Amino acid sequence: MRIAIGSDHGGIVLKPAILAYLKEKNIEYFDFGTFDTASVDYPVYAKKVAEAVASGEFDKGILLCGTGIGMSIAANKVKGIRAAVLSDEFSAAACSAHNNANVLCLGGRVISPEKAVKLADLWLSTPFEGDRHMRRLGLIAEMDERK
Ligand code: RB5
Protein backbone atom coordinates (compact mmCIF):
# COMPACT_ATOMS: atom_id res chain seq x y z
CA MET A 1 0.00 0.00 0.00
CA ARG A 2 1.41 3.39 -1.05
CA ILE A 3 -0.28 6.60 0.04
CA ALA A 4 0.13 10.07 -1.45
CA ILE A 5 -0.27 12.97 1.01
CA GLY A 6 -1.04 16.60 0.24
CA SER A 7 -1.91 19.57 2.40
CA ASP A 8 -2.38 23.31 2.38
CA HIS A 9 -1.66 25.68 5.28
CA GLY A 10 -5.15 25.07 6.73
CA GLY A 11 -4.68 21.32 6.97
CA ILE A 12 -1.04 21.07 7.92
CA VAL A 13 -1.89 20.89 11.64
CA LEU A 14 -3.14 17.34 11.00
CA LYS A 15 -0.11 16.16 9.06
CA PRO A 16 2.31 15.16 11.87
CA ALA A 17 -0.26 12.84 13.46
CA ILE A 18 -1.21 11.29 10.12
CA LEU A 19 2.43 10.70 9.18
CA ALA A 20 3.19 9.22 12.61
CA TYR A 21 0.21 6.87 12.20
CA LEU A 22 1.36 5.73 8.74
CA LYS A 23 4.90 5.15 10.03
CA GLU A 24 3.57 3.13 12.97
CA LYS A 25 1.53 0.98 10.57
CA ASN A 26 4.50 0.58 8.20
CA ILE A 27 2.48 2.13 5.38
CA GLU A 28 4.65 3.66 2.67
CA TYR A 29 3.83 7.28 1.81
CA PHE A 30 5.08 10.25 -0.16
CA ASP A 31 4.45 13.79 1.02
CA PHE A 32 3.68 16.17 -1.87
CA GLY A 33 3.69 19.19 0.48
CA THR A 34 3.06 21.84 1.58
CA PHE A 35 5.67 21.80 4.33
CA ASP A 36 4.96 24.94 6.36
CA THR A 37 2.14 27.28 7.32
CA ALA A 38 2.68 29.85 4.55
CA SER A 39 -0.53 30.40 2.57
CA VAL A 40 -0.78 28.21 -0.55
CA ASP A 41 -3.51 27.23 -3.02
CA TYR A 42 -5.10 23.89 -2.12
CA PRO A 43 -6.02 22.88 -5.74
CA VAL A 44 -2.30 22.63 -6.55
CA TYR A 45 -1.86 19.88 -3.95
CA ALA A 46 -5.20 18.22 -4.68
CA LYS A 47 -4.16 17.89 -8.35
CA LYS A 48 -0.75 16.39 -7.50
CA VAL A 49 -2.21 13.78 -5.15
CA ALA A 50 -5.29 12.97 -7.25
CA GLU A 51 -3.23 12.48 -10.40
CA ALA A 52 -0.71 10.33 -8.51
CA VAL A 53 -3.57 8.07 -7.35
CA ALA A 54 -5.44 8.07 -10.68
CA SER A 55 -2.25 7.04 -12.52
CA GLY A 56 -1.86 4.00 -10.28
CA GLU A 57 1.46 5.22 -8.90
CA PHE A 58 -0.18 5.36 -5.46
CA ASP A 59 -3.02 3.24 -4.08
CA LYS A 60 -4.75 5.97 -2.10
CA GLY A 61 -4.40 9.63 -1.18
CA ILE A 62 -4.92 11.80 1.88
CA LEU A 63 -5.60 15.52 1.43
CA LEU A 64 -5.69 18.04 4.25
CA CYS A 65 -7.03 21.59 4.13
CA GLY A 66 -9.01 23.86 6.45
CA THR A 67 -12.29 22.00 5.98
CA GLY A 68 -11.40 19.15 3.61
CA ILE A 69 -14.05 20.55 1.27
CA GLY A 70 -11.85 22.45 -1.19
CA MET A 71 -9.48 19.49 -1.50
CA SER A 72 -12.41 17.12 -2.18
CA ILE A 73 -13.96 19.41 -4.80
CA ALA A 74 -10.63 19.71 -6.62
CA ALA A 75 -9.60 16.04 -6.31
CA ASN A 76 -12.95 14.84 -7.65
CA LYS A 77 -12.27 16.70 -10.92
CA VAL A 78 -9.64 14.07 -11.75
CA LYS A 79 -10.97 11.03 -13.62
CA GLY A 80 -11.08 7.91 -11.45
CA ILE A 81 -10.94 9.78 -8.16
CA ARG A 82 -13.55 9.19 -5.48
CA ALA A 83 -12.60 11.69 -2.79
CA ALA A 84 -14.58 11.78 0.45
CA VAL A 85 -14.51 14.59 2.99
CA LEU A 86 -15.41 13.41 6.45
CA SER A 87 -15.53 14.28 10.10
CA ASP A 88 -17.36 11.28 11.64
CA GLU A 89 -16.59 7.61 12.20
CA PHE A 90 -19.68 6.22 10.47
CA SER A 91 -18.80 8.00 7.21
CA ALA A 92 -15.15 6.97 7.50
CA ALA A 93 -16.12 3.30 7.36
CA ALA A 94 -18.96 3.84 4.86
CA CYS A 95 -16.82 5.73 2.37
CA SER A 96 -14.70 2.59 2.04
CA ALA A 97 -17.46 -0.02 2.35
CA HIS A 98 -19.90 1.68 -0.03
CA ASN A 99 -18.00 4.25 -2.08
CA ASN A 100 -14.54 2.65 -2.28
CA ALA A 101 -13.17 6.17 -1.70
CA ASN A 102 -9.58 6.33 -2.93
CA VAL A 103 -8.87 9.78 -1.48
CA LEU A 104 -9.63 10.90 2.08
CA CYS A 105 -10.04 14.65 2.73
CA LEU A 106 -9.84 16.04 6.25
CA GLY A 107 -10.16 19.52 7.71
CA GLY A 108 -7.58 20.90 10.11
CA ARG A 109 -10.04 23.58 11.25
CA VAL A 110 -12.80 21.03 11.85
CA ILE A 111 -11.31 17.98 13.56
CA SER A 112 -8.46 17.25 15.96
CA PRO A 113 -5.30 15.35 14.94
CA GLU A 114 -6.48 12.43 17.10
CA LYS A 115 -9.81 12.34 15.27
CA ALA A 116 -8.02 12.55 11.92
CA VAL A 117 -5.99 9.45 12.77
CA LYS A 118 -9.11 7.59 13.93
CA LEU A 119 -10.92 8.41 10.67
CA ALA A 120 -7.91 7.50 8.52
CA ASP A 121 -7.61 4.18 10.35
CA LEU A 122 -11.29 3.35 9.80
CA TRP A 123 -11.05 4.33 6.13
CA LEU A 124 -7.95 2.19 5.56
CA SER A 125 -9.12 -0.84 7.55
CA THR A 126 -12.68 -1.10 6.21
CA PRO A 127 -12.98 -3.26 3.07
CA PHE A 128 -15.09 -2.32 0.04
CA GLU A 129 -18.27 -4.42 0.07
CA GLY A 130 -18.60 -4.68 -3.72
CA ASP A 131 -21.91 -6.21 -4.84
CA ARG A 132 -24.59 -3.54 -5.43
CA HIS A 133 -22.02 -0.82 -4.75
CA MET A 134 -20.05 -1.95 -7.81
CA ARG A 135 -23.04 -1.07 -9.98
CA ARG A 136 -23.25 2.39 -8.42
CA LEU A 137 -19.54 3.05 -8.84
CA GLY A 138 -19.93 1.89 -12.44
CA LEU A 139 -22.55 4.61 -12.96
CA ILE A 140 -20.13 7.18 -11.56
CA ALA A 141 -17.34 5.88 -13.80
CA GLU A 142 -19.67 6.34 -16.80
CA MET A 143 -20.00 10.00 -15.83
CA ASP A 144 -16.21 10.25 -15.83
CA GLU A 145 -16.12 8.82 -19.36
CA ARG A 146 -18.65 11.37 -20.65
CA LYS A 147 -16.63 14.38 -19.45
C1 RB5 B 1 -7.63 28.19 3.18
O1 RB5 B 1 -7.82 29.36 3.91
C2 RB5 B 1 -8.92 27.37 3.13
O2 RB5 B 1 -9.81 27.97 2.26
C3 RB5 B 1 -8.61 25.96 2.71
O3 RB5 B 1 -7.73 25.39 3.61
C4 RB5 B 1 -9.79 25.00 2.66
O4 RB5 B 1 -10.51 25.03 3.84
C5 RB5 B 1 -10.63 25.08 1.48
O5 RB5 B 1 -11.62 24.34 1.33
Side-chain angles (χ1 to χ4, degrees), residues 8-11 39-40 42 64-71 73 107 109:
D8 78 352
H9 54 288
S39 182
V40 292
Y42 62 82
L64 313 169
C65 67
T67 58
I69 295 171
M71 286 294 199
I73 291 171
R109 296 172 184 157

Side-chain angles (χ1 to χ4, degrees), residues 4 6 15 20 33 37 42 54 56 69 101 109 137 140 145:
K15 206 202 287 188
T37 54
Y42 62 82
I69 295 171
R109 296 172 184 157
L137 296 192
I140 294 172
E145 292 305 325

Side-chain angles (χ1 to χ4, degrees), residues 10 14 65-68 86-87 106-112 115:
L14 301 179
C65 67
T67 58
L86 6 129
S87 55
L106 302 169
R109 296 172 184 157
V110 181
I111 58 170
S112 67
K115 185 81 170 274

Side-chain angles (χ1 to χ4, degrees), residues 1-67:
M1 163 85 69
R2 295 188 77 220
I3 296 201
I5 311 272
S7 175
D8 78 352
H9 54 288
I12 203 163
V13 65
L14 301 179
K15 206 202 287 188
I18 292 286
L19 297 188
Y21 161 77
L22 294 174
K23 277 182 201 151
E24 183 198 310
K25 292 277 179 187
N26 279 319
I27 297 173
E28 197 184 330
Y29 65 83
F30 182 81
D31 186 352
F32 284 85
T34 187
F35 299 104
D36 57 41
T37 54
S39 182
V40 292
D41 297 327
Y42 62 82
V44 171
Y45 300 91
K47 185 169 188 282
K48 286 179 199 224
V49 167
E51 289 181 347
V53 173
S55 73
E57 192 188 347
F58 289 85
D59 301 295
K60 291 175 193 277
I62 298 178
L63 287 167
L64 313 169
C65 67
T67 58

